[in-house]
Amino acid sequence: MNLVGQIVLILCILGAVLFFAKEIRLRYRLVKLGAKGPQRWDRPVERLGYAVGRVGAQICSIKDRPLVGIMHAFIFYGFIFFAVATINHVTRAFAPEFSLWGHGLFNNLWFLGVDIIAILTSIGAVFLFVRRYIFKPEPITKPWPFSRSPQSAIVLGFIFGLMVTYLLNQGADMILTGKSFAAWMPFSHAASTLLTGMSIPSLQIWNAVFWWAHILMVLGFLVLIPHSKHLHLIAGPINIFFRTREPDGTLQKIDFENTEEFGVTNVNQFQWKNIMDFFSCVDCGRCQDVCPAYASDKPLSPKVVMMSMRKHILHEADHLISGQDVSEPVMDKWQTPDEIWACTTCGACMETCPVKNEHIQTIIELRRGQMMMENKFPQELEPAFRGLETNSNPWNLGMSERATWTEGLDVPIMTEKGEAEYLWFVGCSGSFDDRGKNISHAMAKILNAAGVDYAILGTEEKCCGDPARRAGNEYLFQMMAEENVATFKQHKFKKILTSCPHCYQVIKNEYSQFEGEFEVVHHTELIAGLLDQGKIKLSPNGDGKMTFHDSCYLGRYNDIYEAPRKIMKAMSNGNLAEMVHSKNKSFCCGGGGARMFMEESIGTRINHLRVEEAEQVGAETIGVACPFCLTMLDDGVKEKGIEASLQVKDIAQLVAEQLV
Amino acid sequence: MKIAVCLKQVPDTEANIKIASDQKSIDESAIKFIVNPYDEYAIEEALKLKESQGAESVIAITLGPDRAKDALRTAVAMGVDDVVLLKTSANSSDALSAAKSLAAKIKETGAEMILLGKEAIDDGSMQVGPMLSELLNIPCITVVTKLEVNGSSVKAEREIEGGVEVLQTTMPCIITCQKGLNEPRFPSIRGVMMAKKKQISEEAVELDDAKLAVSSLSYPQSRSEGKIVGEGTEAVPELIRLLREEAKVI
Ligand code: SF4
Ligand code: SF4
């Protein structure tokens, strides 16, 4: 290449790289400016291994969308190969004979690899283009205006163009240099056949055009990356490295002593990791696809939360970098109350997200800001908060009545018994709600039949605090948590037994933030164990088909999938069907995230959608393992008027009915 | 303008009330106390008046034992500026002596608008408002469901049997608040945290001139259980007979 060409090339590269660096630096600074939070440098080797494995093998992308994932993998590997190949490409402007790998067998193999990858990548790019712009699947094209930007078309065009210009450039080179690598570069060779018959001068011109087009597209891509969702190329793997190692959905503690700002009202109050999440989002819509709020026509899409916050923080970038106040709060322009209060904290979004975003923490931070800083929250929550404050239960029923459900039953109280293997934390539903009490009655029957050594706290028990925490009232939650931890510590027991997965999650994974480390067992685990040990026996009655509805907080949050299934199998004579969404893909009942205590006035009802799934598999019984699920699904069945053909019961109730 | 709110701490509406061994008081050991719900309307109305009329401050006054400080904290959390506890050593059911202590304090504050609940849900005597009126020699409008203040003129609506009565007066005056007057605000968490740290001033009062004393408390007669007489139309004659002869309602 002549000197002018070389200078132009160097200037182009410098310009693009500088622009890229400037934009990346801006985003890095925005993340650094985020509020402090857990630093997430613990177990670096494990983290690195996980990130490399997940990205390297493209599990992130393939696991929930195999075909699309494989196409994405082609492009991913193309990107890796071409990142190196571009070095060869550029150096040829200065030293035409240079090759990174010399000129031996390895070099030949390398070029063979690049040739094949170039074709696969082209296939990937065409596939994704057709999918996005012709088939227009909802998760990536809706809601407008967050999706369907032309950026993806440009990027996919670049990727395809890169491959084509590479092959044509190599093909032209083959003819011009007379060196045929047909065996090692079959596709470049095929491209060269398109060019045969051209005169040498015009071939030389075309060769230069291909070469320049290739490098300019590489640089164009570099310029585009920071500005688009393609930032995930860089941010994604880093975000996976910094993923939470706690169960998804476990919320962080607010240190009320040392902060004046609770939650997020302004975008600069987000923690650095939340901001990393915003920059990592790929706009793939996997989260939106599985979100029960979105599926039931609520205005919430976890994808939009991420993308909108990214837009918002970039919009405020100048203010933030120069240390000024933000120009506007997050609410109600960048997020609306109807969005943030629609979340059931089911965790389906986090489970599927390829870059491991933590949507729930972001949404709850916004709820916290609204609840604690602005005193704004759905009105229906007020009685629940008052109830928790005054009577330690969200229904505000007299706290002295907490143990009246035990009347006529033989249920020992801790203060009287003194010591027990299991401290049974009955929970508010189990103590006060009629349907919840049925679970408690059944559980007491099972525990007594199996001779389990247990006791309850009686009136000493207080709500675990889950509804308060999920509703953003962290202050109230901490009051309940501290009181319960103190009560637990006064008693002698080995394990805590819960019938409610929300109590389970909070006591097991969140009370540790209040110096309460307890071994917690859910009643499905205990019952499965009792069956195994032969301490209880069942006589399956009837042959109706059953199905099991995974509670989000038991399944996705705490990976308990097998224990309830084992019991369900034993009870159903094997006549157990799985609904279309099950296990880690389970579909929420609609009651989590304090939604249990709010009206569901927008869109369709989540519990109806789930009940319909049970109907589809022809179930006559839905087994549940959570009092909220029981209430929501039972309401769903009754509202649909199908209670004659479909019953909803907690596993404990079903077991108690079949006890021999 | 200064506004004073008199409030009382009472057992929670859901509390399971047990009579203490002296048969004259209730066993407080397992009871949650709350701000008397009618007094919450008074607090809310005071805060609204402060916002709309630019009142100087709102002071909440309560008379009671040490635990009544919690009720004052709730008032602070809702937005009341100052609070004072008139600390009594013993429980009293004598409204007049309570009203005298309150009146003395109100005078000291110089408040021109005095708001309180129409009654306390524990003893429900409905006396303190009118008594304050007498003691302070200012007008009192009771059981108010709507209040309009314009400068020093006051217009209040109260529900009366079969209608609404509109009364007019000028400040200083006393208003006792009824449900429907407003929706009491939920104390903000920041308010609650501030209230927790607030120093609550207290003044000891003696209610020694009490002229009323409780002689005994007893439980209401427990309701007899419902009776199912049958099903469908054939049960109707028996139902009518019971309503006529046993319940004597028709
Ligand atoms: S948050 Fe995750 S799952 Fe949702 S669109 Fe972004 S990358 Fe995809
Ligand atoms: S947690 Fe569930 S409801 Fe909330 S945004 Fe994620 S998928 Fe939607």
Side-chain angles (χ1 to χ4, degrees), chain A residues 287-288 290-294 300-303 305 342-350 359-360 363 367 552 556-557 588 606:
Chain A
C287 54
Q288 176 177 302
V290 296
C291 173
Y294 187 85
L300 170 67
S301 154
K303 171 180 90 167
V305 173
C343 175
T344 70
T345 66
C346 73
C349 48
M350 291 182 64
H359 316 70
I360 297 179
I363 292 171
R367 285 188 180 182
C552 306
R556 266 193 294 272
Y557 276 57
C588 184
I606 295 176

Side-chain angles (χ1 to χ4, degrees), chain B residues 170-212:
Chain B
T170 50
M171 287 199 286
C173 66
I174 295 169
I175 304 288
T176 76
C177 307
Q178 162 71 315
K179 187 178 170 146
L181 177 61
N182 54 42
E183 261 317 309
R185 67 195 62 188
F186 187 76
S188 74
I189 298 300
R190 278 151 72 81
V192 171
M193 292 180 70
M194 238 169 52
K196 220 173 128 187
K197 294 189 193 124
K198 175 108 178 168
Q199 269 292 325
I200 297 197
S201 58
E202 50 179 80
E203 295 167 18
V205 294
E206 291 301 330
L207 305 175
D208 36 14
D209 61 345
K211 298 200 169 58
L212 284 180

Side-chain angles (χ1 to χ4, degrees), chain B residues 22-47:
Chain B
D22 66 358
Q23 300 296 316
K24 292 179 183 178
S25 58
I26 60 166
D27 176 2
E28 294 191 358
S29 60
I31 284 185
K32 259 297 218 229
F33 287 90
I34 59 169
V35 174
N36 174 36
Y38 293 108
D39 296 343
E40 283 195 16
Y41 300 120
I43 299 173
E44 177 64 34
E45 201 59 21
L47 296 172

Side-chain angles (χ1 to χ4, degrees), chain A residues 9-25 86 90 215 218-224 226:
Chain A
L9 175 66
I10 289 173
L11 288 179
C12 286
I13 294 177
L14 268 182
V17 168
L18 281 179
F19 181 84
F20 175 79
K22 174 176 150 277
E23 293 294 315
I24 293 293
R25 178 161 175 266
T86 299
V90 171
I215 189 67
V218 169
L219 298 178
F221 195 48
L222 204 60
V223 168
L224 255 182

Side-chain angles (χ1 to χ4, degrees), chain A residues 375 390-391 396 400 475, chain B residues 12 14 16 32 34 186 196:
Chain A
N375 210 17
T390 338
N391 282 304
N396 202 8
S400 53
Y475 186 77
Chain B
D12 178 43
E14 291 294 325
N16 188 358
K32 259 297 218 229
I34 59 169
F186 187 76
K196 220 173 128 187

Side-chain angles (χ1 to χ4, degrees), chain A residues 357-510:
Chain A
N357 277 349
E358 292 158 37
H359 316 70
I360 297 179
Q361 188 71 38
T362 287
I363 292 171
I364 298 294
E365 289 298 355
L366 289 168
R367 285 188 180 182
R368 286 174 169 174
Q370 289 302 293
M371 202 283 134
M372 294 191 286
M373 303 297 283
E374 306 277 316
N375 210 17
K376 287 184 191 155
F377 51 87
Q379 221 195 338
E380 314 93 83
L381 284 175
E382 199 182 301
F385 290 150
R386 279 183 190 263
L388 289 171
E389 262 166 38
T390 338
N391 282 304
S392 310
N393 70 79
W395 292 286
N396 202 8
L397 294 167
M399 60 180 183
S400 53
E401 307 296 313
R402 200 169 185 104
T404 40
W405 68 269
T406 60
E407 271 166 24
L409 298 168
D410 188 14
V411 177
I413 309 268
M414 208 68 192
T415 41
E416 289 158 15
K417 190 167 182 186
E419 195 175 328
E421 185 181 358
Y422 289 96
L423 187 162
W424 177 16
F425 191 87
V426 183
C428 298
S429 294
S431 305
F432 291 106
D433 176 68
D434 281 341
R435 283 175 280 199
K437 282 194 267 189
N438 290 339
I439 305 177
S440 303
H441 291 156
M443 220 27 230
K445 186 174 166 193
I446 297 167
L447 293 172
N448 290 343
V452 175
D453 174 22
Y454 75 100
I456 64 168
L457 285 172
T459 50
E460 277 190 299
E461 185 183 287
K462 300 206 149 75
C463 174
C464 69
D466 163 79
R469 187 168 235 197
R470 266 70 200 176
N473 194 342
E474 176 74 4
Y475 186 77
L476 184 55
F477 165 73
Q478 293 198 5
M479 259 165 51
M480 322 246 61
E482 277 163 10
E483 287 173 15
N484 275 326
V485 168
T487 310
F488 291 158
K489 286 186 174 168
Q490 281 164 18
H491 293 294
K492 273 205 194 129
F493 59 89
K494 291 210 182 73
K495 299 168 199 169
I496 294 176
L497 169 68
T498 74
S499 319
C500 172
H502 296 261
C503 305
Y504 180 94
Q505 157 68 15
V506 165
I507 299 174
K508 183 174 182 193
N509 301 319
E510 303 184 17

